[in-house]
Amino acid sequence: MDYHIRTVTMKDLQAVTAVEAECFPAAEAAGAEAFQARIAAFPECFFVAEEENGRLIGMINGAVTDRKTICDEMLEDAGLHRPDGAYQSIFGLDVIPERRRQGVAAALMEHMIQSAREAGRKGVILTCKDRLIPYYEKFGYRSMGLSDSVHGGAVWYDMILEFPA
């Protein structure tokens, strides 16, 4: 593996914003202001994949909540993060195009799942587009159907991974 996964720092703000812009359509991508708020509110739930040369090639982040689904307000307001909440959410799993299909996204997802387990969470939640449901099912997520989210004007599906009690 020519990269490592680490916790984000505020020094990564420009790089994570650039990775997000490269990975998501403009209507769905979080901007620098949103990332600054997320890094400040929940750095322990925000991980980056960094090459040995210091270049960020991917990231995963999300607030903790007591909800079993992500609502659009959570994406907009980092203050809704609940450090003692039951579920780790995932707002985004990004890998730059040239590093896709090399296991980076899977490594980031496994890192987030393990972090949530170690923190004593009940599980992990996310929203995704229908074409990605089978990908997330490989990690043990199950679809809960169409999401109420209208983020970026896209159609989203709620997914949940519940840890054994």
Side-chain angles (χ1 to χ4, degrees), residues 4-13 16 38-50 56 58-61 108 111-112 115 118:
H4 64 278
I5 296 173
R6 64 170 174 79
T7 303
V8 74
T9 70
M10 202 56 81
K11 292 177 185 175
D12 298 315
L13 179 59
V16 297
R38 291 177 188 181
I39 294 168
F42 49 85
E44 73 282 5
C45 305
F46 196 143
F47 304 105
V48 295
E50 181 181 51
L56 292 191
M59 63 184 181
I60 190 168
N61 74 94
L108 284 162
H111 191 89
M112 181 67 96
S115 174
E118 290 172 2

Side-chain angles (χ1 to χ4, degrees), residues 91-113:
F91 294 164
L93 172 58
D94 306 24
V95 175
I96 61 172
E98 69 191 73
R99 292 303 305 264
R100 291 182 185 157
R101 302 192 186 283
Q102 298 173 28
V104 178
L108 284 162
M109 179 59 72
E110 292 292 353
H111 191 89
M112 181 67 96
I113 291 169

